[in-house]
Amino acid sequence: MPTKKKPQVTPTPARRRELLATAAEVFAAQGYNATTVRRIADEAGMLAGSLYYHFDSKESMVDEILSTFLDELWQGYDAVLAAGLGPRATIEALVTESFRQIDRHRPAVAIYQKESRHLATQPRFAYLADSQEKFEKAWLGALERGVAEGVFRDDLDVRLTYRFVRDTVWVAASWYRPGGHHSPEEIARQYLSTVLDGITPRT
């Protein structure tokens, strides 16, 4: 008598998102190289073999985590850059959008901060270097325009300022927790009030 084949169950998008969220937390905490598929499966409460039913490798998981984060980040950034705002308003909007993304994708931001330089050397992750170049161009453009228009100090080193702003914003992923006392917009306002008075012209 022939053996009946078990019907295949198609993974649901919701379950896939749950597994990616779990993987993102593990990658962020343990680092990409130190994380195993078994560790992710343990955290998800399943066998490692079952996880392969959803993803073919941990590389595929981190790829989807990072690409999803960057796609959403650039939707927000592109909207800001297309809005025709002045230099200061552009910087304010980019900072605010960055904190919103930390709120939505905190583990992905942490992974990006720790792993992007290493991962970008692999062909599959070439988009990480492209995104970094685009990111730098957007921020430097707003800062340079601000200096040219007298909105920011004329002695401002825009490249150093960009690096300072970039690093101090994204490092928030190491301490920010969604659902805390302050919304991402409130944190952005506090950050901006601290930073921007230091780059506007002296009176």
Side-chain angles (χ1 to χ4, degrees):
M1 186 174 181
T3 302
K4 290 183 180 180
K5 292 183 178 179
K6 293 182 180 180
Q8 289 189 345
V9 179
T10 303
T12 65
R15 180 55 173 157
R16 187 180 183 86
R17 286 193 297 270
E18 288 174 4
L19 293 174
L20 284 173
T22 298
E25 292 286 357
V26 177
F27 284 132
Q30 302 294 321
Y32 176 72
N33 287 333
T35 297
T36 64
V37 171
R38 180 181 295 277
R39 176 60 185 272
I40 296 170
D42 288 345
E43 291 294 323
M46 63 195 305
L47 297 174
S50 298
L51 189 59
Y52 282 114
Y53 183 63
H54 300 268
F55 303 97
D56 61 10
S57 64
K58 71 172 188 177
E59 183 181 59
S60 293
M61 284 184 272
V62 79
D63 186 6
E64 190 163 339
I65 290 164
L66 291 175
S67 62
T68 298
F69 155 60
L70 288 174
D71 285 347
E72 188 170 325
L73 173 71
W74 279 108
Q75 286 177 16
Y77 271 22
D78 286 341
V80 170
L81 298 173
L85 303 173
R88 178 169 178 140
T90 297
I91 293 295
E92 290 173 342
L94 289 174
V95 166
T96 301
E97 184 60 32
S98 298
F99 279 107
R100 286 177 182 145
Q101 293 304 321
I102 292 171
D103 181 64
R104 295 169 187 153
H105 298 286
R106 184 194 57 77
V109 173
I111 297 166
Y112 182 81
Q113 291 290 94
K114 295 176 185 176
E115 310 290 352
S116 60
R117 182 174 297 181
H118 165 70
L119 290 173
T121 62
Q122 304 176 34
R124 180 170 188 166
F125 295 96
Y127 65 85
L128 295 175
D130 294 339
S131 183
Q132 179 59 40
E133 184 177 342
K134 185 180 176 184
F135 186 85
E136 183 173 320
K137 183 178 179 181
W139 285 82
L140 286 177
L143 289 167
E144 289 167 350
R145 189 158 53 96
V147 171
E149 295 178 11
V151 176
F152 301 144
R153 289 180 1 215
D154 58 7
D155 63 342
L156 191 70
D157 186 319
V158 294
R159 190 164 291 277
L160 281 178
T161 302
Y162 154 69
R163 290 172 178 165
F164 170 76
V165 172
R166 176 196 64 191
D167 292 347
T168 53
V169 167
W170 293 113
V171 77
S174 66
W175 54 261
Y176 179 81
R177 292 297 178 269
H181 293 298
H182 301 289
S183 70
E185 291 79 11
E186 289 169 338
I187 294 173
R189 282 195 295 271
Q190 288 290 327
Y191 175 86
L192 287 163
S193 69
T194 301
V195 171
L196 287 182
D197 286 342
I199 65 175
T200 49
R202 297 184 179 92
T203 57

